[in-house]
Amino acid sequence: MRNPWVLFLCIVVSVSNLVAQKPDKPSSSEIYHDLQKLNFLGTALYVAAHPDDENTSLISYLSNEANARTVYLSMTRGDGGQNLIGPELRELLGVLRTQELLAARRIDGGEQRFTRANDFGFSKHPNETLKIWDKDKVLADVVWTIRQIKPDVIINRFNHRTPGSTHGHHTSSAMLSMEAFDLANDPNAYPEQLDHTTTWQPKRIFYNTSWWQYGSRENFEAADKSGMLKLDVGVYYPDLGLSNNEIAALARSQHLCQGFGMMTSRGTSEEYIELLKGDMPKNNDLFDGINTTWSRVAGGEPVGAILNNIEANFNFKDPSVHVPELVKAYQLLQNVKEPYWQELKSKQLKDIILASAGLYLEASAEEGSTTPGSTTKVNLEVVNRSRLPISLKKVELIGGNTSISPNSTLQNNEKQNLEISFEVPVSTAYTSPYWLNKAGTLGTYAVNDQLLIGKPETPSALTATFFLNIGGTEIAFDKPVVHRFSKPEKGELYEPLAVLPAATSRIDEKVLIFATAESKDINVKVRAGKNNVAGNVSLKHPAGWSVTPANIPINIPQKGQEVTVTFKVTPPNSDSEGIIAPLVTIGGKTFGKELVEINYDHIPKQSILMPSEAKIVRMNIQKSGEHIAYIMGAGDEVPESLEQIGYQVHLIDTDDLQPGVLDKYDAVVMGIRAYNVLDDLKYKQPVLFEYVKNGGTMIVQYNTAGRWASQFENIAPYDLTLSRDRVTDENSEVKIVAPNNPLVNYPNAIKESDFDGWVQERGLYFPSQWSSEFTPILSMGDEGESATEGSILVAPYGEGHYIYTGLSFFRELPAGVSGAYKLFANMLSIGKSEVKKESNVKG
């Protein structure tokens, strides 16, 4: 029995934008399934705000039951979320989550699009969201998507009529979708887009509602549903061997960095969609009244006559018998005058011809990366696994400005291996996510190329076009150049071919804190993108700082080899901050990019070129204590940040939490969401509280309310109730409400100005209730809301101190926010004299 996971990696809508995945090897049932989609001429657009917001059940239903072209438009790439599987945050997290979305679409059969909106973090109201996003730009992108995709129906994930009731990004996505529904057909709206596309008016728009919108299942049962459609999305697909529920669960489980892995389910499952605009369809048919047959297209009926006949009489044993008729339909399709349908359906039809004929085409570079100006060899593999008369006329390497013309007959199941060696043009753009190539704003990425806007990823730099003669008709098939290789522990693997600079550099520590005026040695790592890289490295720095030596020569013989050079950086005596940036000069050309690679098993390897730089901060900071025990939760960079100001941080796990073990530490710090992800903490609370009672300091950073790994009676020694309260405006006013408390006095005097320059937010999941033993330290609130005092609470317990804080130190410390460092140092120093505590902790 075939593994359903493997099966659905093959069920890919043929108009996919994916580059460098394992090649599709569809079975007869999958070819038939794609033929059904080919014969349906209808499109649905699903709209939401973030990766993992999409309803995979409905997307899969639309794609695999209705057979519609189904596209998910996510306003953002999820840059502001958390990461449960690795260190990537912000822009890098956006790259990871983009690929997880594409992995989900490969399973549920949908396609993926985006706007230029940046997920800047939680927003309470669409007014804030649309101001930061730059509403006009993001609205233009939604209009652009509608004009390009030309959906008959649009479905919003969120309700545009309830601003302030949920994440501002959520409501904003629905509001923009509603506005774009009308604007897309207005030639006066964003007329510059019409140089590349045409206006379009969708037929109807819906809201994907459910019982939670009504507060309870009982309220929803009693609600008037006359304006809703009810869809059973639990249907079973015999030709695929899976139910829609199973497909949806497999797709949703691709959002691994957000912890959305889930079990599959089977059986009837209902989804409701409420009509917002347009006429009410009949019989629960979203496409009622819309012509979804080949007669929709001028000149399409002869094409449909052939393809519908093939579908009705499909030969599951030998699909190749249909190739002559498929080719005839392809010829007729080239005469269709409507560019949208001609291009879309030609791509789908070519994929079906390729699969039906058992044709395997591959272009694989010998190495995983190359550089502009370098010579690269690409291996071509061509196999015709049918008895059809097929010949290979020519192969062009698009982007490589070269071709070969074998003019060879492809005999049944006889593999042909060919090679193309060429010099990569020096003008070839580097491989990197296109939306990160230029600096944007807090809320919007800078993308000026209209044809790139909305694409999920950067198109492949090199593409092989195979020109085949099939029964007398020449058809061109495009395949991105990939790198195919194997590992003993993993087998055959595919990676995108990356075009990279001759040299990249990096400083591992992205923020360097100078707590005194002493110099520090800063290591710069330089990686060769090709053989024999020779030049020098210098370090750009802000005024008032000094760097020695001025430059350091390098000579790297092997591609991929890395060398480390060391500069001595001396700060000024007074507070100062700025950016240092390594510059690698080779043959008169300067390179200033860092190569970041993201490589997980569930997504293709990603190569990202970021500015190679680090923030340097000179701050006068005092601290007491030295050895800190840190219990990692969902993952953060706080330990590395604390080491920057001289603490020795010891990562311990829950197994280490035994009576007396913690006594040697000056403080114990719980990483973010520790109580959400560590089941064993339920049993370790007595050890932690005993440590505090005996004079220790325990700091608990934010946890998500209601998402406990286990049922905790209390995460604190006193009553403490977490809520969903948060302050999202990083510039909101902060008041010190306990001016005499040690947390704002020792060893660093904290002023309200220390809350300037915070990033993304003030904090999240603040306690809403606490016992009288706790002292609130700060007051803050978003515009239009009452201030909350739950951001940081401290309570004595026995001889020690317990501190709970929802302040986003996990964001502020890695960003080098000096006030956050001072406040955290004060928390670690509470209850300590100026004489550091002696410790027998071993490094």
Side-chain angles (χ1 to χ4, degrees):
M1 183 178 180
R2 294 188 66 184
N3 186 321
W5 177 261
V6 175
L7 172 66
F8 266 85
L9 287 180
C10 299
I11 300 176
V12 184
V13 68
S14 58
V15 292
S16 172
N17 285 306
L18 302 176
V19 297
Q21 288 303 306
K22 291 183 178 180
D24 298 333
K25 301 171 185 176
S27 66
S28 294
S29 293
E30 293 159 359
I31 296 171
Y32 176 73
H33 193 67
D34 288 340
L35 185 61
Q36 290 178 307
K37 295 183 179 184
L38 178 65
N39 282 330
F40 187 90
L41 281 72
T43 303
L45 178 66
Y46 197 88
V47 180
H50 310 106
D52 72 45
D53 280 345
E54 82 274 28
N55 184 337
T56 54
S57 295
L58 195 49
I59 289 175
S60 179
Y61 177 88
L62 292 167
S63 177
N64 297 302
E65 173 65 12
N67 291 319
R69 182 190 187 191
T70 307
V71 179
Y72 174 42
L73 173 62
S74 177
M75 295 290 156
T76 76
R77 297 176 185 266
D79 322 72
Q82 296 301 305
N83 186 357
L84 298 183
I85 64 173
E88 297 84 10
L89 291 173
R90 294 302 306 148
E91 295 91 345
L92 297 179
L93 180 60
V95 175
L96 171 56
R97 297 187 74 182
T98 292
Q99 291 300 319
E100 289 188 334
L101 272 175
L102 290 173
R105 299 294 81 78
R106 288 194 290 276
I107 293 171
D108 61 32
E111 300 175 54
Q112 189 62 51
R113 293 292 187 276
F114 295 94
T115 73
R116 288 171 287 180
N118 188 348
D119 179 5
F120 56 84
F122 190 85
S123 171
K124 293 180 178 177
H125 199 280
N127 289 348
E128 177 192 18
T129 298
L130 295 174
K131 180 180 179 181
I132 295 175
W133 272 358
D134 188 337
K135 177 188 174 183
D136 188 64
K137 287 183 179 178
V138 181
L139 178 60
D141 294 352
V142 181
V143 170
W144 169 248
T145 300
I146 293 173
R147 287 171 172 176
Q148 277 198 310
I149 302 301
K150 304 191 183 310
D152 299 297
V153 297
I154 298 175
I155 302 173
N156 291 341
R157 183 70 180 96
F158 299 105
N159 193 344
H160 69 287
R161 298 161 296 194
T162 55
S165 64
T166 182
H167 196 324
H169 296 184
H170 293 169
T171 312
S172 296
S173 71
M175 293 170 65
L176 293 170
S177 179
M178 289 293 292
E179 193 169 347
F181 180 85
D182 297 319
L183 287 177
N185 200 37
D186 182 356
N188 296 315
Y190 310 107
E192 68 281 358
Q193 296 179 1
L194 301 180
D195 292 338
H196 309 286
T197 188
T198 59
T199 57
W200 181 255
Q201 181 58 60
K203 179 76 169 176
R204 48 184 73 108
I205 186 169
F206 298 91
Y207 160 49
N208 185 191
T209 189
S210 69
W211 66 265
W212 49 262
Q213 176 64 27
Y214 289 78
S216 70
R217 295 183 185 274
E218 292 74 20
N219 291 343
F220 186 59
E221 287 295 325
D224 178 11
K225 299 184 180 64
S226 59
M228 300 182 193
L229 300 187
K230 181 174 73 173
L231 307 173
D232 181 3
V233 297
V235 294
Y236 175 68
Y237 306 120
D239 56 330
L240 302 176
L242 288 173
S243 67
N244 194 72
N245 321 57
E246 292 171 295
I247 298 170
L250 291 171
R252 189 151 183 79
S253 291
Q254 297 310 296
H255 297 296
L256 296 181
C257 74
Q258 301 303 296
F260 278 91
M262 61 187 301
M263 296 178 68
T264 59
S265 64
R266 286 145 291 279
T268 295
S269 178
E270 295 175 347
E271 285 286 345
Y272 289 85
I273 55 173
E274 176 189 352
L275 183 70
L276 299 175
K277 286 185 180 181
D279 61 318
M280 187 68 181
K282 303 174 183 176
N283 303 318
N284 283 318
D285 180 5
L286 279 75
F287 294 92
D288 175 60
I290 300 169
N291 185 358
T292 58
T293 71
W294 279 100
S295 64
R296 177 176 191 166
V297 183
E301 288 186 87
V303 179
I306 295 172
L307 296 176
N308 284 309
N309 183 62
I310 295 173
E311 181 183 341
N313 300 282
F314 189 74
N315 188 327
F316 286 89
K317 186 175 181 180
D318 184 10
S320 68
V321 301
H322 300 301
V323 171
E325 288 296 292
L326 290 169
V327 170
K328 185 183 298 183
Y330 176 80
Q331 291 173 316
L332 292 172
L333 186 53
Q334 304 321 296
N335 298 323
V336 167
K337 301 302 181 184
E338 297 184 40
Y340 170 78
W341 291 113
Q342 195 274 335
E343 180 181 350
L344 175 65
K345 293 301 178 179
S346 289
K347 177 66 171 66
Q348 292 179 338
L349 182 50
K350 286 200 297 183
D351 286 348
I352 291 174
I353 291 171
L354 202 69
S356 298
L359 279 162
Y360 184 84
L361 308 175
E362 180 180 283
S364 174
E366 286 202 327
E367 297 183 277
S369 67
T370 186
T371 58
S374 294
T375 298
T376 298
K377 185 166 77 171
V378 174
N379 298 310
L380 306 172
E381 181 180 336
V382 184
V383 188
N384 169 25
R385 292 170 290 189
S386 75
R387 300 187 183 279
L388 297 167
I390 302 175
S391 60
L392 175 63
K393 308 303 292 184
K394 183 174 65 171
V395 182
E396 286 187 1
L397 203 59
I398 310 302
N401 301 330
T402 189
S403 66
I404 57 173
S405 300
N407 288 313
S408 58
T409 299
L410 301 178
Q411 301 293 341
N412 181 26
N413 210 30
E414 290 186 5
K415 181 172 66 173
Q416 291 198 17
N417 290 113
L418 306 165
E419 291 182 1
I420 298 182
S421 290
F422 66 101
E423 184 177 287
V424 179
V426 294
S427 60
T428 303
Y430 297 134
T431 298
S432 195
Y434 69 87
W435 62 94
L436 299 179
N437 287 339
K438 295 181 180 178
T441 65
L442 172 65
T444 313
Y445 283 117
V447 183
N448 298 323
D449 185 342
Q450 184 65 55
L451 296 179
L452 281 177
I453 291 174
K455 288 184 179 294
E457 53 189 348
T458 305
S460 178
L462 297 169
T463 300
T465 302
F466 296 80
F467 294 87
L468 301 179
N469 187 296
I470 305 176
T473 299
E474 186 174 285
I475 305 178
F477 299 90
D478 294 334
K479 294 289 180 180
V481 178
V482 298
H483 174 50
R484 179 166 68 102
F485 62 106
S486 67
K487 288 185 176 181
E489 72 278 15
K490 292 189 177 182
E492 184 178 66
L493 299 170
Y494 286 80
E495 290 180 353
L497 174 65
V499 180
L500 302 174
T504 54
S505 60
R506 77 177 192 275
I507 299 173
D508 286 337
E509 301 84 4
K510 297 309 174 189
V511 175
L512 295 157
I513 305 297
F514 291 74
T516 70
E518 293 183 7
S519 301
K520 285 188 178 183
D521 288 340
I522 305 301
N523 294 325
V524 176
K525 296 178 180 178
V526 182
R527 179 184 183 274
K530 63 179 184 178
N531 291 336
N532 301 316
V533 168
N536 65 75
V537 186
S538 59
L539 198 60
K540 185 178 179 181
H541 58 88
W545 296 68
S546 64
V547 173
T548 57
N551 58 72
I552 300 174
I554 56 168
N555 194 326
I556 310 176
Q558 295 294 324
K559 176 181 177 179
Q561 184 180 350
E562 191 172 78
V563 300
T564 301
V565 297
T566 303
F567 294 91
K568 186 175 291 295
V569 176
T570 305
N573 289 320
S574 58
D575 288 358
S576 173
E577 65 179 59
I579 298 295
I580 53 173
L583 299 175
V584 183
T585 303
I586 303 169
K589 187 172 182 179
T590 299
F591 300 89
K593 294 290 187 180
E594 173 183 356
L595 172 63
V596 181
E597 294 178 331
I598 300 176
N599 203 359
Y600 294 99
D601 287 343
H602 65 303
I603 65 168
K605 179 181 178 180
Q606 298 297 297
S607 299
I608 305 101
L609 293 170
M610 304 288 287
S612 181
E613 60 185 30
K615 182 177 181 180
I616 48 176
V617 180
R618 169 71 173 99
M619 65 173 78
N620 287 307
I621 187 167
Q622 304 298 319
K623 67 183 184 67
S624 290
E626 183 174 351
H627 293 280
I628 307 300
Y630 201 92
I631 301 171
M632 190 65 71
D636 57 64
E637 299 177 21
V638 172
E640 295 88 341
S641 299
L642 296 180
E643 288 174 344
Q644 290 267 2
I645 56 173
Y647 284 105
Q648 295 186 42
V649 181
H650 307 264
L651 296 180
I652 64 174
D653 59 34
T654 53
D655 291 338
D656 298 322
L657 295 178
Q658 303 297 330
V661 170
L662 298 177
D663 294 346
K664 57 192 175 184
Y665 297 108
D666 296 292
V668 174
V669 181
M670 312 299 289
I672 62 171
R673 298 180 62 191
Y675 288 97
N676 297 141
V677 299
L678 300 177
D679 290 299
D680 289 351
L681 279 179
K682 177 180 181 180
Y683 309 105
K684 302 297 183 177
Q685 289 291 82
V687 174
L688 290 164
F689 293 161
E690 185 67 18
Y691 162 75
V692 179
K693 189 175 182 180
N694 291 335
T697 297
M698 181 178 176
I699 300 172
V700 179
Q701 297 180 85
Y702 100 90
N703 285 266
T704 305
R707 294 187 182 179
W708 308 116
S710 299
Q711 292 302 312
F712 290 92
E713 293 183 4
N714 206 334
I715 64 172
Y718 307 113
D719 289 341
L720 182 71
T721 302
L722 301 190
S723 72
R724 302 186 68 84
D725 290 349
R726 60 203 300 163
V727 176
T728 62
D729 183 358
E730 63 270 33
N731 298 310
S732 64
E733 182 182 8
V734 177
K735 293 183 178 179
I736 299 173
V737 296
N740 297 322
N741 193 278
L743 285 189
V744 290
N745 289 286
Y746 178 80
N748 303 285
I750 302 298
K751 304 175 183 177
E752 291 176 1
S753 60
D754 284 311
F755 294 92
D756 294 343
W758 283 48
V759 299
Q760 189 161 332
E761 62 195 350
R762 289 296 189 198
L764 61 171
Y765 295 102
F766 296 161
S768 57
Q769 297 179 6
W770 51 86
S771 69
S772 60
E773 287 83 0
F774 283 104
T775 299
I777 304 300
L778 305 173
S779 171
M780 61 186 70
D782 284 320
E783 183 178 359
E785 295 183 357
S786 299
T788 176
E789 296 185 349
S791 62
I792 181 169
L793 303 170
V794 58
Y797 183 68
E799 300 298 319
H801 294 82
Y802 177 95
I803 299 172
Y804 184 90
T805 178
L807 292 173
S808 59
F809 287 107
F810 70 102
R811 298 192 192 280
E812 312 312 321
L813 299 185
V817 178
S818 58
Y821 274 93
K822 293 177 182 178
L823 183 54
F824 210 103
N826 283 11
M827 291 194 300
L828 293 170
S829 303
I830 192 168
K832 298 174 178 61
S833 66
E834 295 185 14
V835 179
K836 293 182 180 179
K837 179 181 176 181
E838 294 297 327
S839 173
N840 61 354
V841 175
K842 296 181 180 180

